[in-house]
Coordinates of all heavy atoms in Angstrom, one line a residue:
A1028 N 17.0 -6.1 109.2 CA 17.6 -5.7 107.8 C 16.7 -4.7 107.2 O 17.3 -3.7 106.6 CB 17.7 -7.0 107.0
V1029 N 15.4 -4.9 107.3 CA 14.5 -3.8 106.7 C 14.6 -2.6 107.4 O 14.6 -1.4 106.8 CB 13.0 -4.4 106.7 CG1 12.1 -3.2 106.2 CG2 12.9 -5.6 105.8
A1030 N 14.7 -2.5 108.7 CA 15.0 -1.3 109.5 C 16.2 -0.6 109.1 O 16.3 0.6 109.0 CB 15.0 -1.6 111.0
E1031 N 17.3 -1.4 108.9 CA 18.6 -0.8 108.5 C 18.4 -0.2 107.0 O 19.0 0.8 106.7 CB 19.7 -1.9 108.4 CG 20.1 -2.3 109.8 CD 20.8 -1.3 110.6 OE1 21.3 -0.3 110.0 OE2 20.9 -1.4 111.9
A1032 N 17.5 -0.9 106.2 CA 17.3 -0.4 104.8 C 16.6 1.0 104.9 O 16.9 1.9 104.1 CB 16.5 -1.4 104.0
M1033 N 15.6 1.1 105.9 CA 15.0 2.4 106.0 C 15.9 3.4 106.4 O 15.9 4.6 105.8 CB 13.9 2.2 107.1 CG 13.3 3.5 107.5 SD 12.0 3.3 108.9 CE 13.2 3.0 110.3
L1034 N 16.8 3.2 107.4 CA 17.8 4.2 107.8 C 18.8 4.5 106.7 O 19.1 5.7 106.5 CB 18.5 3.7 109.0 CG 17.6 3.4 110.3 CD1 18.5 2.9 111.4 CD2 17.0 4.8 110.7
L1035 N 19.1 3.5 105.9 CA 20.0 3.7 104.7 C 19.3 4.6 103.7 O 20.0 5.5 103.2 CB 20.4 2.4 104.1 CG 21.6 2.3 103.1 CD1 22.0 0.8 103.0 CD2 21.2 2.8 101.8
A1036 N 18.1 4.4 103.5 CA 17.4 5.3 102.5 C 17.3 6.7 103.0 O 17.5 7.6 102.2 CB 15.9 4.7 102.3
R1037 N 17.1 6.9 104.3 CA 17.1 8.3 104.8 C 18.4 8.9 104.6 O 18.5 10.1 104.3 CB 16.8 8.2 106.3 CG 16.4 9.6 106.8 CD 16.3 9.6 108.4 NE 15.4 10.7 108.8 CZ 15.3 10.9 110.1 NH1 15.9 10.2 111.1 NH2 14.6 11.9 110.6
R1038 N 19.5 8.2 104.8 CA 20.9 8.8 104.7 C 21.1 9.2 103.2 O 21.8 10.1 102.9 CB 21.9 7.8 105.2 CG 21.9 7.5 106.6 CD 23.2 6.8 107.1 NE 23.4 5.5 106.5 CZ 22.9 4.4 106.9 NH1 22.2 4.4 108.1 NH2 23.1 3.3 106.3
A1039 N 20.6 8.3 102.3 CA 20.8 8.5 100.9 C 20.1 9.7 100.3 O 20.5 10.1 99.2 CB 20.4 7.2 100.1
V1040 N 19.0 10.1 100.9 CA 18.2 11.1 100.4 C 18.5 12.5 101.1 O 18.4 12.6 102.3 CB 16.7 10.9 100.6 CG1 15.9 12.1 100.1 CG2 16.4 9.7 99.8
K1041 N 19.1 13.4 100.4 CA 19.4 14.8 101.0 C 18.2 15.5 101.1 O 17.2 15.5 100.4 CB 20.4 15.5 100.1 CG 21.6 14.6 99.7 CD 22.4 14.2 100.8 CE 23.6 13.4 100.4 NZ 24.3 12.8 101.5
G1042 N 18.1 16.3 102.2 CA 17.0 17.1 102.5 C 16.3 16.8 103.8 O 16.9 16.1 104.7
Q1043 N 15.1 17.3 104.1 CA 14.5 17.3 105.4 C 13.3 16.2 105.4 O 12.6 16.2 106.4 CB 13.9 18.7 105.7 CG 15.1 19.7 105.8 CD 16.1 19.4 106.8 OE1 15.8 19.1 107.9 NE2 17.3 19.6 106.4

Side-chain angles (χ1 to χ4, degrees):
V1029 174
E1031 293 290 341
M1033 173 184 69
L1034 298 176
L1035 194 162
R1037 191 190 203 189
R1038 295 192 299 271
V1040 175
K1041 308 301 181 184
Q1043 301 301 314

